[in-house]
Amino acid sequence: MVNRHAQEIIAELKNDDIQLKAIEFNVRGEDVVATFLYDDLFESDDVHTAPRPKDPMFLKADELDDITFALKEKGIDYTIRNDEFI
């Protein structure tokens, strides 16, 4: 069974209003923020009619392997950043 977060990401690929380019996972300890990256999101001259991007997704680090496995199967690009702050 595919992780529910992976299902949500895959569903975003079907959004005809905007083109999902990749997902960026920012890992901080056990918390992960998944940011959706889109192609030419604001090419419209009217910012009021521009498509709205999907809000970041918050998940736990132990879910990341299942999600990235599903993304690889679907050919969805992603990056994982492990930022450490001093």
Side-chain angles (χ1 to χ4, degrees):
M1 181 168 180
V2 178
N3 177 290
R4 70 179 176 89
H5 293 297
Q7 290 174 341
E8 193 173 337
I9 293 168
I10 293 166
E12 187 66 9
L13 280 174
K14 298 175 185 172
N15 184 346
D16 293 333
D17 293 334
I18 48 182
Q19 180 62 45
L20 180 65
K21 179 174 65 172
I23 307 292
E24 180 179 271
F25 295 104
N26 293 287
V27 180
R28 292 188 181 95
E30 291 300 313
D31 297 319
V32 179
V33 178
T35 304
F36 293 77
L37 307 174
Y38 298 93
D39 279 333
D40 300 323
L41 189 57
F42 297 105
E43 66 183 28
S44 172
D45 291 336
D46 185 359
V47 296
H48 300 291
T49 61
R52 182 180 178 279
K54 186 163 181 52
D55 291 333
M57 183 183 297
F58 300 93
L59 37 125
K60 294 295 180 187
D62 61 356
E63 298 176 280
L64 199 51
D65 286 340
D66 290 338
I67 294 169
T68 55
F69 180 79
L71 297 181
K72 285 178 191 175
E73 283 187 331
K74 296 291 184 181
I76 301 170
D77 290 330
Y78 66 89
T79 56
I80 299 175
R81 296 178 51 161
N82 292 297
D83 296 337
E84 294 186 23
F85 298 94
I86 299 175

